[in-house]
Amino acid sequence: MKNFEKYTRQYFPVNNAPMRWAQKDYIDHAPIWCSVDLRDGNQALINPMTLEEKLEFFKHLVKIGFKEIEVGFPAASETEYEFCRALIEQNLIPDDVTIQVLTQSREHIIKKTFEALKGAKNVIVHLYNSTSVSQREQVFKKEKNEIIDIAVMGAELCKKYRETAEGNYRFEYSPESFTGTEPEFAAEICNKVIEIWEPTPDNKVIINLPVTVSHSMPHVYANQVEYMCDHLISRENLIISLHPHNDRGCAVADSEMGLLAGADRIEGTLFGNGERTGNVDIVTLAMNMFSQGVDPELDFENLPEITEIYERITGMKVYERQPYSGKLVFAAFSGSHQDAIAKGMKWRQEKNCKYWTVPYLPIDPEDVGRVYEADVIRINSQSGKGGIGYVLENQFGIKMPQNMRETVGYLVKHVSDNAHRELMPSEVYKVFEETFINKQYPICLKEAHYVQKDGIEADVTIEYNGKTINEKAHGNGRLNAVSVCLKQMLGMEYVLHTYTEHAMEEKATSKAVSYVGIKDNNGKNYWGVGIATDIIDSSLKALISAVNNMITD
């Protein structure tokens, strides 16, 4: 690829990084979550949310369980200001929820920010200024000491305005473009702010380390986070926060490794919405913890509902393969995958397993509001007998004999292949029904009577090619006797090799389902299924169906 020479690494690795975090293999507790959907997410939309949409979105974030929600940049626009005021004046902020607002280090902006917050009970004022080499040199054209002065001025002004403000105010500081900043300088400027704000155990300061632009592999960022945790003063009175963006597709990994490296808090959005490639997807991050037995302390039990609200309000779409939330993330079209899932589900039922270990499914889809039949086993030309059998059994009560599944599998796959599309469960059943169940052409069974005489004597009447035929024959049971009658009537030979039956439902009035498999002289199998309220009727219907399939082949 051309022009690769004009790029170089823009991050600053930690020299001799101890990498203590790398000794951990999973996150063992939920971080503090802060949704920035209403600020970062909103400013990334083609059509920003209206006031009404923001209010609805805020209420749903509260319902999910967010205790910290960044509601905007109230000094940046009248809409942002009005939204902040509406939340406060309409008393929409629960007592256990803290709103967060963003402000630059400029006096008139800080002043208006505090005005917007009047009457709020719990607030985080989030102060930031850019610290990276590229921002210092190209945008602000300032030296390090001048960049520190900007941060110090903002910190002092925030402290000043808090003295006269009512309510519980906490502070957050971000060295914006942290990942493009020398770790030593990032620690220096943060420590200057910490000295001014004087955090205590009861009033901790949040130091946010944003991946404003992702420049490195996740372990480099984790080393930077660990470095900051080691070099910030009053660490016990700090909350280390992460705000990863997804330019390199590493936001989730950055967050997970950053948490291992000592961070306490995550700022992100639902489904990763945000500028450019977006913010870290809190749904994915939280569900990753959930899948390893850690309570994320957010409620994603109805992801379809959350997805619907998100898509309607933002105008964005959740990609079909988005982890956990996409429409196809639990779908298995492959035959071998479907077979493994079906067997895994049966294993769980038989063994009463404590832990979820079903192949190909990292979590139980039902835990996030998905449905097995519609979301997991999906049928197309790539599907196998196991998946097709699973759909028929779990949706329609059809428990085929194992040696029938291959025939049905090939049939359904052939239909899907010719149609060049997925088949819905109802369409799978329709194919099965039309091919196997209660077939009455070209043979239609009119009557069957039995006498116990040297076993069972059957007196059978059928209609075949417009003619009524009657025959009597002996067998060792009713089904066998009728089968002998049919052979004599039609002058045909076959071997009845399979017969199974079951009730469709677990109740006295349920219908019986019978399955009959026969084999011709060439060894080819034919199948029939009978459904009736009487078990004898269902078995005869299954036999007639199988013979009809043999005749019409």
Side-chain angles (χ1 to χ4, degrees):
M1 187 169 173
K2 296 179 181 178
N3 300 325
F4 69 89
E5 301 95 338
K6 76 179 186 183
Y7 298 100
T8 188
R9 289 151 293 284
Q10 297 184 57
Y11 59 86
F12 295 88
V14 175
N15 294 324
N16 300 314
M19 295 188 70
R20 295 183 301 273
W21 61 270
Q23 304 304 311
K24 306 172 186 176
D25 65 316
Y26 75 103
I27 299 163
D28 60 8
H29 65 280
I32 300 166
W33 300 106
C34 178
S35 161
V36 295
D37 290 89
L38 297 170
R39 200 270 301 176
D40 253 31
N42 185 55
Q43 73 179 14
L45 298 178
I46 297 172
N47 298 305
M49 301 178 212
T50 64
L51 176 61
E52 292 73 21
E53 288 171 335
K54 278 190 169 185
L55 291 172
E56 181 182 354
F57 208 118
F58 178 86
K59 291 175 183 177
H60 208 71
L61 291 170
V62 170
K63 180 181 177 182
I64 290 169
F66 287 99
K67 300 303 180 185
E68 296 182 3
I69 302 172
E70 189 164 86
V71 298
F73 197 146
S77 72
E78 199 59 35
T79 302
E80 300 270 291
Y81 187 93
E82 289 176 0
F83 175 53
C84 186
R85 292 309 309 157
L87 289 173
I88 297 168
E89 291 170 4
Q90 295 179 35
N91 198 30
L92 297 176
I93 308 168
D95 289 345
D96 63 344
V97 172
T98 299
I99 59 170
Q100 179 171 301
V101 292
L102 195 66
T103 180
Q104 294 174 333
S105 187
R106 301 169 67 183
E107 182 163 14
H108 71 284
I109 291 178
I110 292 173
K111 181 180 179 182
K112 188 168 184 179
T113 298
F114 275 83
E115 289 173 358
L117 295 169
K118 187 175 182 181
K121 296 177 182 177
N122 299 297
V123 176
I124 295 170
V125 177
H126 183 181
L127 173 73
Y128 76 95
N129 68 304
S130 294
T131 60
S132 67
V133 174
S134 60
Q135 292 271 8
R136 296 193 317 252
E137 293 178 348
Q138 300 171 38
V139 180
F140 296 100
K141 296 179 170 58
K142 293 182 182 296
E143 298 297 324
K144 289 181 179 179
N145 63 307
E146 294 174 292
I147 297 295
I148 290 175
D149 288 343
I150 294 173
V152 166
M153 179 191 69
E156 289 175 340
L157 287 170
C158 286
K159 186 175 181 180
K160 169 188 169 184
Y161 281 103
R162 182 172 66 178
E163 290 173 356
T164 56
E166 297 179 358
N168 177 31
Y169 280 70
R170 293 186 289 141
F171 291 143
E172 175 177 350
Y173 174 69
S174 287
E176 196 204 10
S177 302
F178 166 75
T179 48
T181 304
E182 308 91 323
E184 299 82 3
F185 180 58
E188 181 183 0
I189 195 168
C190 287
N191 282 332
K192 293 291 185 183
V193 171
I194 293 167
E195 286 175 353
I196 294 167
W197 284 344
E198 300 177 306
T200 67
D202 296 327
N203 191 9
K204 294 185 177 183
V205 163
I206 301 169
I207 296 296
N208 191 48
L209 306 176
V211 183
T212 308
V213 179
S214 180
H215 292 306
S216 70
M217 294 172 69
H219 76 284
V220 175
Y221 179 59
N223 287 339
Q224 293 167 336
V225 172
E226 188 174 60
Y227 177 92
M228 294 295 285
C229 289
D230 289 343
H231 290 82
L232 293 177
I233 61 175
S234 194
R235 173 63 182 93
E236 69 280 5
N237 297 324
L238 302 178
I239 294 171
I240 303 301
S241 178
L242 309 180
H243 185 115
H245 284 230
N246 201 38
D247 304 270
R248 290 171 55 95
C250 295
V252 169
D254 283 339
S255 299
E256 291 181 327
M257 291 189 182
L259 289 170
L260 293 180
D264 311 295
R265 181 177 185 265
I266 294 289
E267 294 186 348
T269 60
L270 298 181
F271 311 113
N273 179 40
E275 288 194 50
R276 307 186 309 277
T277 53
N279 289 46
V280 65
D281 176 6
I282 285 182
V283 176
T284 298
L285 196 54
M287 291 307 302
N288 282 355
M289 297 178 196
F290 178 83
S291 72
Q292 296 189 337
V294 177
D295 183 0
E297 299 178 11
L298 292 174
D299 183 359
F300 293 125
E301 291 181 7
N302 194 345
L303 269 182
E305 178 189 51
I306 295 171
T307 302
E308 184 281 322
I309 292 170
Y310 166 82
E311 291 187 333
R312 173 170 50 81
I313 291 178
T314 66
M316 303 289 285
K317 295 296 180 184
V318 174
Y319 174 48
E320 287 87 347
R321 300 292 182 186
Q322 182 99 348
Y324 302 105
S325 49
K327 290 182 179 179
L328 296 179
V329 296
F330 299 113
F333 292 103
S334 161
S336 61
H337 291 197
Q338 292 177 342
D339 186 57
I341 290 171
K343 288 176 178 175
M345 296 295 292
K346 188 174 182 180
W347 171 273
R348 279 188 58 77
Q349 292 176 344
E350 292 173 349
K351 304 296 183 181
N352 193 26
C353 301
K354 178 180 180 181
Y355 296 110
W356 178 265
T357 59
V358 174
Y360 297 111
L361 294 179
I363 67 166
D364 184 345
E366 289 189 344
D367 287 338
V368 290
R370 304 293 288 272
V371 180
Y372 289 110
E373 291 78 4
D375 293 317
V376 179
I377 304 295
R378 306 279 291 267
I379 305 303
N380 65 13
S381 61
Q382 305 301 307
S383 301
K385 59 184 180 181
I388 293 165
Y390 181 88
V391 168
L392 288 171
E393 179 173 344
N394 286 274
Q395 283 218 44
F396 304 102
I398 300 296
K399 301 175 184 178
M400 293 180 285
Q402 281 297 122
N403 52 348
M404 184 182 181
R405 291 191 172 209
E406 185 171 353
T407 300
V408 176
Y410 280 121
L411 173 67
V412 172
K413 287 167 65 174
H414 178 71
V415 172
S416 176
D417 199 18
N418 286 344
H420 302 291
R421 64 177 178 84
E422 176 187 2
L423 298 182
M424 296 297 102
S426 60
E427 294 175 301
V428 173
Y429 182 76
K430 183 178 180 182
V431 170
F432 183 83
E433 180 182 39
E434 290 177 349
T435 307
F436 301 108
I437 298 178
N438 295 355
K439 295 194 70 172
Q440 298 187 55
Y441 182 84
I443 299 172
C444 178
L445 178 67
K446 307 300 290 184
E447 290 184 80
H449 303 282
Y450 311 97
V451 176
Q452 194 159 359
K453 180 180 178 183
D454 299 327
I456 296 292
E457 181 183 81
D459 185 351
V460 177
T461 302
I462 65 169
E463 189 175 285
Y464 179 52
N465 287 338
K467 297 180 180 180
T468 299
I469 306 173
N470 178 262
E471 188 74 53
K472 291 183 180 180
H474 283 83
N476 55 19
R478 289 177 174 82
L479 185 63
N480 179 251
V482 172
S483 179
V484 173
C485 281
L486 290 175
K487 291 177 184 180
Q488 293 176 182
M489 289 174 178
L490 304 171
M492 61 192 304
E493 286 296 328
Y494 61 81
V495 175
L496 197 159
H497 62 78
T498 300
Y499 171 72
T500 63
E501 43 121 71
H502 64 81
M504 288 196 79
E505 298 173 9
E506 299 280 338
K507 57 185 180 182
T509 58
S510 68
K511 290 183 177 180
V513 186
S514 297
Y515 307 86
V516 167
I518 61 176
K519 185 182 297 185
D520 67 14
N521 289 335
N522 296 317
K524 187 171 182 179
N525 289 318
Y526 299 91
W527 292 92
V529 179
I531 298 180
T533 53
D534 178 76
I535 190 65
I536 299 299
D537 285 347
S538 74
S539 65
L540 295 184
K541 289 178 184 293
L543 174 63
I544 294 295
S545 297
V547 172
N548 277 328
N549 280 333
M550 183 175 172
I551 293 173
T552 56
D553 182 26

